[in-house]
């Protein structure tokens, strides 16, 4: 084996190792991404059925129901066009209110109920999560 062939072999082995490392990094990055969907997109089956994602919109007025255990809360998230029922077990943020913006992270069950593992609410009078604001705007106009 000549010196040139040895250098070429080392270069190809280095490129192969780099490609494998890049593939592993991209795979890890992809598995940690949590996408945002509006209720309209969820009901159009654009949301993943087997993975966690974020659901955003407004808490439908009159939809908040607390169960007897004191920790389980059921409410409906709407983008003013479609509605998705949500169940959450845990403490809600202090700013969680009917008619206000909310982003919930969780997974969709087969019955169409979104089981939230985390609920985020807006933090001041004028703020709405950007994804939720865009989803509401899209639902009103019907355009992305």
């Amino acid at each position: 084996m000549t010196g040139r062939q040895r250098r070429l072999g080392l270069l190809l082995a280095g490129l192969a190792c780099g490609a494998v490392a890049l593939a592993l990094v991209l795979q890890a990055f992809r598995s940690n991404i949590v996408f945002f969907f509006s209720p309209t997109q969820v009901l159009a089956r654009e949301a993943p059925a087997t993975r966690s994602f974020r659901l955003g919109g407004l808490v439908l007025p009159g939809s908040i129901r607390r169960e007897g255990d004191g920790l389980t809360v059921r409410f409906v998230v709407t983008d003013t066009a479609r509605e998705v029922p949500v169940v959450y077990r845990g403490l809600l943020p202090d700013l969680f209110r009917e008619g206000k913006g909310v982003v919930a992270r969780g997974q969709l069950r087969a019955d169409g109920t979104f089981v939230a593992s985390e609920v985020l609410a807006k933090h001041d009078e004028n703020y709405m999560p950007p994804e939720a604001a865009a989803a509401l705007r899209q639902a009103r106009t019907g355009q992305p």
Side-chain angles (χ1 to χ4, degrees):
M1 181 177 272
T2 66
R4 183 177 179 162
Q5 289 174 332
R6 194 174 319 141
R7 285 191 301 269
L8 182 62
L10 287 174
L11 179 65
L12 291 177
L15 288 175
C17 288
V20 169
L22 181 64
L24 290 174
V25 167
L26 290 176
Q27 180 65 27
F29 182 69
R30 185 172 185 248
S31 66
N32 289 327
I33 291 176
V34 180
F35 293 102
F36 176 86
F37 293 94
S38 68
T40 298
Q41 291 172 314
V42 170
L43 294 176
R45 300 187 188 272
E46 294 177 20
T50 58
R51 290 190 53 194
S52 178
F53 63 92
R54 293 185 301 154
L55 171 69
L58 300 173
V59 178
L60 185 68
S63 68
I64 298 175
R65 306 271 187 266
R66 296 189 186 276
E67 293 192 357
D69 63 2
L71 286 178
T72 304
V73 179
R74 295 180 182 274
F75 56 95
V76 175
V77 173
T78 182
D79 58 3
T80 67
R82 307 293 299 265
E83 300 169 353
V84 173
V86 177
V87 62
Y88 174 70
R89 182 172 168 79
L91 298 175
L92 289 168
D94 290 339
L95 298 174
F96 180 84
R97 303 269 189 282
E98 294 179 347
K100 300 298 181 184
V102 66
V103 174
R105 179 180 178 168
Q107 197 165 2
L108 194 64
R109 287 194 312 210
D111 66 354
T113 301
F114 186 81
V115 179
S117 60
E118 180 181 25
V119 175
L120 303 173
K122 70 181 189 91
H123 61 75
D124 74 8
E125 193 69 24
N126 300 317
Y127 178 77
M128 177 173 292
E131 297 95 345
L136 292 174
R137 189 173 40 254
Q138 181 181 358
R140 286 187 196 123
T141 63
Q143 298 176 353

